[in-house]
Amino acid sequence: MSKKWQISRRRMLKGVGACMALPFLDAMALPGMSSPVPSKSPLRTAFIVMPNGVHPHHWTPATVGRGYEFTQQLLPLKHLQDDFLVLGELMNMNSLRTADGHYTKTANLLTSTRIRQTTGDNINSGGVSIDQVIANHVGGDTLFPSLEYGLDRIATGVDINVGLTRLYASSISWKTATQPLTKEIDPKMAFDRLFGRYVPGAKIKNDPWKQSVLDAVLDDAKSLKRNLGRSDQDKLTEYLDSVYSLEKRISDGANQEKFAANLTGDVKKELIRLNQNIEEYAEVRSGVDVTEKTRMMLDIMALAFWSDASRVSTFLFGNSVSNRNFSFLPGVNDGHHSISHHMDDEKKLAQYVKITQWHMEQYAYFIEKLKSMKEGESNVFDNSMIMFSSDLRDGNRHSPRNLPVLLAGRAGGRIKPGQNLIYEKETPLANLYVTMLEALNIEKTSFADSTGKLANILA
């Protein structure tokens, strides 16, 4: 390989007001390497969180190990059985509070520490979240140390039922014990931030709804492509096509938002009636339903991982006490939080299962997206760990015991997926975090209330 064909792993496409990270190319290989594949692919970590718990009797498979039978709520993942772990009897001990059902379990899900009880803005999670521990070790190698995404805007005010500020409802990622990281909930804003088109406080000369980020970096892309081999040219074209496709989907939603802004008052009243709440109305107004919006956000996360713009991300499906209306699902006719307080009513429990299945479908979508992104002889998914969890086991009982936890990915061969593993009752959830840190080669033997690593996960 001549020096002319070598480019830096940190090479980006640049243009006026824009820059784009690149996926790994053969031309990034070091001289003398017998294979263009890097000796160590970057490892990515994502934490995907769902509020309100699950149906407690249709989550955990009956048999331990491999080849287990799928429960109702896990069925959307059946075709991916060899790609993830089901982890039973993990508990977030420091989330136990007699005065609160949700907030003290959401805010500290990734810190495993006890939060401060307050009705003001002097919030304190008790510690740094595990995603930020990871970001502090690997974030210096990427454009963004971490990315925080979700669907709901920040909750404000005080929940008088439990005497806590609703600020705790909105954050799972904590840079410090007193500094939560605000999640981005708008796909357009998330996309622009990721690819350098959005700068807070600065005016963009070109209309971002009309101009593609690819237009800004086109000259640089053409120049780079001329100096690449055929294989790299194909990879670059495929990557740019993926970016353009996602841009188009987001722009289409923006155009529908402009159209919807001119709807008559009667039509708006009907929209409000059908969607029950402001959040759902906002999604209809933007022309994007909740499933499509979720998948756009997950696509952006996947592109961030593939381009190595970031290696750490969180995604919060809904704030604490989220009552997102899931009546778009057949057989469901109420909000998530309301249904989670099922009082063992069979009709509500059946709806509870359907809502969880929808979340599993989105988790499966993200896994499949990462698997489709080639990286050398492997793919991004094989070099990732994607945790899924809820902050509760059962929304009706508000219990943080035996949390519903999944871990997908192979972390570059360091994780052994495809198993249902049951640990001793009340095993600290933080033990999983310590295990993940070891898989990432981060030398940290303890985290929060951890007592050791989880067995049978590391290869």
Side-chain angles (χ1 to χ4, degrees), residues 23-242:
F24 181 81
L25 302 173
D26 293 350
M28 294 173 178
L30 297 174
M33 289 179 63
S34 59
S35 168
V37 180
S39 58
K40 181 187 290 186
S41 295
L43 301 181
R44 293 83 165 192
T45 312
F47 299 88
I48 300 178
V49 176
M50 174 187 75
N52 299 324
V54 300
H55 188 320
H57 306 309
H58 292 293
W59 176 266
T60 305
T63 58
V64 177
R66 299 185 181 277
Y68 56 85
E69 291 292 326
F70 273 68
T71 55
Q72 287 185 43
Q73 290 170 118
L74 293 176
L75 278 177
L77 295 167
K78 187 173 178 61
H79 63 295
L80 299 168
Q81 185 167 11
D82 292 336
D83 294 319
F84 70 95
L85 293 160
V86 184
L87 304 174
E89 296 297 347
L90 302 185
M91 177 185 181
N92 192 11
M93 177 67 75
N94 278 315
S95 69
L96 279 176
R97 292 186 66 91
T98 57
D100 171 53
H102 290 264
Y103 303 119
T104 60
K105 300 176 178 70
T106 301
N108 73 350
L109 183 67
L110 300 186
T111 68
S112 293
T113 49
R114 186 176 293 277
I115 72 168
R116 172 189 292 160
Q117 184 167 357
T118 179
T119 57
D121 60 3
N122 58 330
I123 55 177
N124 191 317
S125 69
V128 178
S129 55
I130 187 63
D131 61 302
Q132 291 307 297
V133 172
I134 297 171
N136 288 338
H137 282 79
V138 305
D141 296 327
T142 57
L143 292 176
F144 299 93
S146 64
L147 298 170
E148 294 74 41
Y149 294 145
L151 297 181
D152 295 345
R153 61 177 59 88
I154 294 175
T156 58
V158 177
D159 189 326
I160 60 175
N161 294 312
V162 295
L164 281 173
T165 174
R166 287 193 177 94
L167 292 173
Y168 282 130
S170 312
S171 300
I172 55 175
S173 183
W174 296 79
K175 188 174 183 64
T176 69
T178 58
Q179 183 182 352
L181 292 172
T182 302
K183 59 186 184 296
E184 178 57 69
I185 65 172
D186 180 77
K188 187 73 176 79
M189 296 288 283
F191 183 87
D192 284 349
R193 175 175 179 257
L194 181 61
F195 292 108
R197 290 173 56 199
Y198 174 75
V199 179
K203 292 184 179 180
I204 301 175
K205 294 181 180 180
N206 297 310
D207 185 353
W209 301 110
K210 295 180 179 179
Q211 183 188 32
S212 167
V213 67
L214 300 182
D215 294 336
V217 299
L218 185 59
D219 289 342
D220 195 20
K222 288 180 177 178
S223 176
L224 174 62
K225 197 170 183 179
R226 285 193 294 268
N227 289 314
L228 295 176
R230 178 57 184 271
S231 176
D232 277 347
Q233 289 182 15
D234 291 343
K235 290 178 184 177
L236 182 59
T237 298
E238 180 184 2
Y239 174 68
L240 296 179
D241 285 346
S242 296

Side-chain angles (χ1 to χ4, degrees), residues 240-260:
L240 296 179
D241 285 346
S242 296
V243 173
Y244 176 75
S245 176
L246 181 59
E247 265 194 331
K248 188 173 186 303
R249 288 167 59 196
I250 296 172
S251 296
D252 286 346
N255 290 334
Q256 292 179 39
E257 180 178 13
K258 293 177 181 178
F259 170 77

